[in-house]
Short mmCIF file of all heavy atoms in Angstrom, two decimals:
data_model
loop_
_atom_site.label_atom_id
_atom_site.label_comp_id
_atom_site.label_asym_id
_atom_site.label_seq_id
_atom_site.Cartn_x
_atom_site.Cartn_y
_atom_site.Cartn_z
N GLU A 536 109.33 91.20 99.26
CA GLU A 536 109.69 92.57 98.90
C GLU A 536 108.45 93.29 98.35
O GLU A 536 108.12 94.40 98.85
CB GLU A 536 110.81 92.61 97.85
CG GLU A 536 111.16 94.06 97.43
CD GLU A 536 112.11 94.04 96.23
OE1 GLU A 536 112.55 92.99 95.79
OE2 GLU A 536 112.39 95.15 95.69
N ARG A 537 107.76 92.71 97.42
CA ARG A 537 106.67 93.44 96.77
C ARG A 537 105.33 92.78 97.04
O ARG A 537 104.30 93.40 96.72
CB ARG A 537 106.94 93.50 95.27
CG ARG A 537 108.14 94.34 94.89
CD ARG A 537 108.69 94.04 93.52
NE ARG A 537 107.74 94.21 92.49
CZ ARG A 537 107.89 93.82 91.21
NH1 ARG A 537 108.98 93.16 90.88
NH2 ARG A 537 106.95 94.01 90.33
N GLY A 538 105.30 91.57 97.57
CA GLY A 538 104.08 90.90 97.88
C GLY A 538 103.71 90.99 99.30
O GLY A 538 104.06 91.95 100.02
N MET A 539 103.01 89.99 99.81
CA MET A 539 102.56 89.91 101.17
C MET A 539 103.42 89.04 102.05
O MET A 539 103.07 88.73 103.19
CB MET A 539 101.11 89.40 101.25
CG MET A 539 100.14 90.18 100.36
SD MET A 539 99.98 91.95 100.77
CE MET A 539 99.18 91.88 102.35
N GLY A 540 104.61 88.64 101.53
CA GLY A 540 105.45 87.65 102.21
C GLY A 540 105.89 88.10 103.58
O GLY A 540 106.14 87.27 104.46
N ALA A 541 106.05 89.42 103.79
CA ALA A 541 106.49 89.92 105.11
C ALA A 541 105.49 89.58 106.22
O ALA A 541 105.86 89.54 107.41
CB ALA A 541 106.71 91.42 105.02
N TYR A 542 104.23 89.29 105.86
CA TYR A 542 103.25 88.94 106.87
C TYR A 542 103.32 87.43 107.21
O TYR A 542 102.57 86.99 108.09
CB TYR A 542 101.83 89.26 106.37
CG TYR A 542 101.54 90.75 106.23
CD1 TYR A 542 101.89 91.41 105.05
CD2 TYR A 542 100.96 91.42 107.28
CE1 TYR A 542 101.58 92.76 104.94
CE2 TYR A 542 100.67 92.80 107.16
CZ TYR A 542 101.00 93.47 105.98
OH TYR A 542 100.75 94.79 105.84
N ASP A 543 104.16 86.71 106.54
CA ASP A 543 104.33 85.28 106.73
C ASP A 543 103.00 84.50 106.50
O ASP A 543 102.60 83.69 107.34
CB ASP A 543 104.84 84.99 108.15
CG ASP A 543 105.61 83.64 108.25
OD1 ASP A 543 105.96 83.09 107.14
OD2 ASP A 543 105.83 83.16 109.35
N PRO A 544 102.42 84.69 105.33
CA PRO A 544 101.21 83.93 105.02
C PRO A 544 101.52 82.60 104.29
O PRO A 544 102.63 82.45 103.73
CB PRO A 544 100.43 84.86 104.11
CG PRO A 544 101.49 85.56 103.35
CD PRO A 544 102.71 85.66 104.26
N VAL A 545 100.58 81.69 104.29
CA VAL A 545 100.63 80.50 103.45
C VAL A 545 99.25 80.32 102.79
O VAL A 545 98.27 80.76 103.40
CB VAL A 545 101.03 79.23 104.21
CG1 VAL A 545 102.46 79.30 104.70
CG2 VAL A 545 100.11 78.99 105.37
N ILE A 546 99.22 79.74 101.61
CA ILE A 546 97.97 79.54 100.96
C ILE A 546 97.81 78.06 100.60
O ILE A 546 98.77 77.44 100.06
CB ILE A 546 97.79 80.44 99.71
CG1 ILE A 546 96.37 80.32 99.13
CG2 ILE A 546 98.84 80.16 98.65
CD1 ILE A 546 96.05 81.39 98.13
N ASP A 547 96.64 77.50 100.92
CA ASP A 547 96.37 76.11 100.52
C ASP A 547 96.21 76.02 99.01
O ASP A 547 95.71 76.99 98.42
CB ASP A 547 95.11 75.60 101.24
CG ASP A 547 95.28 75.52 102.78
OD1 ASP A 547 96.42 75.66 103.23
OD2 ASP A 547 94.26 75.35 103.46
N GLU A 548 96.60 74.88 98.49
CA GLU A 548 96.53 74.75 97.00
C GLU A 548 95.10 74.81 96.53
O GLU A 548 94.84 75.33 95.46
CB GLU A 548 97.19 73.44 96.59
CG GLU A 548 98.73 73.50 96.66
CD GLU A 548 99.34 74.69 95.92
OE1 GLU A 548 99.02 74.85 94.73
OE2 GLU A 548 100.07 75.45 96.57
N ASP A 549 94.15 74.25 97.29
CA ASP A 549 92.78 74.32 96.82
C ASP A 549 92.25 75.75 96.88
O ASP A 549 91.39 76.14 96.05
CB ASP A 549 91.87 73.39 97.64
CG ASP A 549 91.84 73.69 99.14
OD1 ASP A 549 92.73 74.47 99.60
OD2 ASP A 549 90.99 73.10 99.83
N ALA A 550 92.76 76.55 97.80
CA ALA A 550 92.36 77.97 97.82
C ALA A 550 92.96 78.71 96.66
O ALA A 550 92.27 79.56 96.03
CB ALA A 550 92.85 78.61 99.14
N ALA A 551 94.21 78.44 96.37
CA ALA A 551 94.85 79.07 95.18
C ALA A 551 94.10 78.66 93.89
O ALA A 551 93.87 79.46 93.01
CB ALA A 551 96.33 78.69 95.08
N ASP A 552 93.75 77.36 93.80
CA ASP A 552 92.99 76.90 92.64
C ASP A 552 91.65 77.62 92.54
O ASP A 552 91.23 78.04 91.40
CB ASP A 552 92.73 75.41 92.72
CG ASP A 552 93.94 74.56 92.27
OD1 ASP A 552 94.76 75.10 91.54
OD2 ASP A 552 94.02 73.41 92.67
N PHE A 553 90.97 77.77 93.65
CA PHE A 553 89.67 78.41 93.66
C PHE A 553 89.78 79.86 93.18
O PHE A 553 89.03 80.32 92.35
CB PHE A 553 89.04 78.38 95.05
CG PHE A 553 87.78 79.15 95.16
CD1 PHE A 553 86.56 78.67 94.66
CD2 PHE A 553 87.82 80.42 95.78
CE1 PHE A 553 85.41 79.45 94.82
CE2 PHE A 553 86.67 81.20 95.89
CZ PHE A 553 85.45 80.70 95.41
N LEU A 554 90.75 80.59 93.75
CA LEU A 554 90.92 81.99 93.39
C LEU A 554 91.30 82.13 91.88
O LEU A 554 90.80 82.99 91.19
CB LEU A 554 91.99 82.67 94.25
CG LEU A 554 91.61 82.93 95.70
CD1 LEU A 554 92.82 83.52 96.44
CD2 LEU A 554 90.43 83.87 95.79
N ALA A 555 92.18 81.25 91.40
CA ALA A 555 92.61 81.30 90.03
C ALA A 555 91.45 81.04 89.08
O ALA A 555 91.32 81.68 88.04
CB ALA A 555 93.70 80.31 89.81
N ASP A 556 90.63 80.13 89.48
CA ASP A 556 89.43 79.83 88.64
C ASP A 556 88.37 80.86 88.71
O ASP A 556 87.80 81.31 87.68
CB ASP A 556 88.86 78.47 89.06
CG ASP A 556 87.62 78.06 88.22
OD1 ASP A 556 87.78 77.98 87.01
OD2 ASP A 556 86.58 77.88 88.83
N THR A 557 88.11 81.33 89.91
CA THR A 557 87.05 82.28 90.13
C THR A 557 87.37 83.68 89.56
O THR A 557 86.47 84.41 89.13
CB THR A 557 86.72 82.44 91.63
OG1 THR A 557 86.42 81.10 92.16
CG2 THR A 557 85.54 83.34 91.89
N ALA A 558 88.63 84.02 89.52
CA ALA A 558 89.02 85.31 88.95
C ALA A 558 88.68 85.44 87.49
O ALA A 558 88.56 86.55 86.97
CB ALA A 558 90.51 85.52 89.16
N ASN A 559 88.52 84.32 86.81
CA ASN A 559 88.03 84.31 85.39
C ASN A 559 88.92 85.13 84.48
O ASN A 559 88.45 85.91 83.66
CB ASN A 559 86.61 84.85 85.37
CG ASN A 559 85.65 83.89 84.62
OD1 ASN A 559 86.05 82.76 84.28
ND2 ASN A 559 84.43 84.32 84.40
#
């Protein structure tokens, strides 16, 4: 509804970890 889910994306856990860490 409010995110990017309509595009049917998936994110790898290491990518999510990287973004979460890098966002500081």
Side-chain angles (χ1 to χ4, degrees):
E536 179 189 354
R537 294 160 59 191
M539 307 299 292
Y542 292 87
D543 205 15
V545 292
I546 187 166
D547 294 350
E548 287 306 306
D549 59 349
D552 278 339
F553 172 79
L554 288 177
D556 179 58
T557 305
N559 234 7

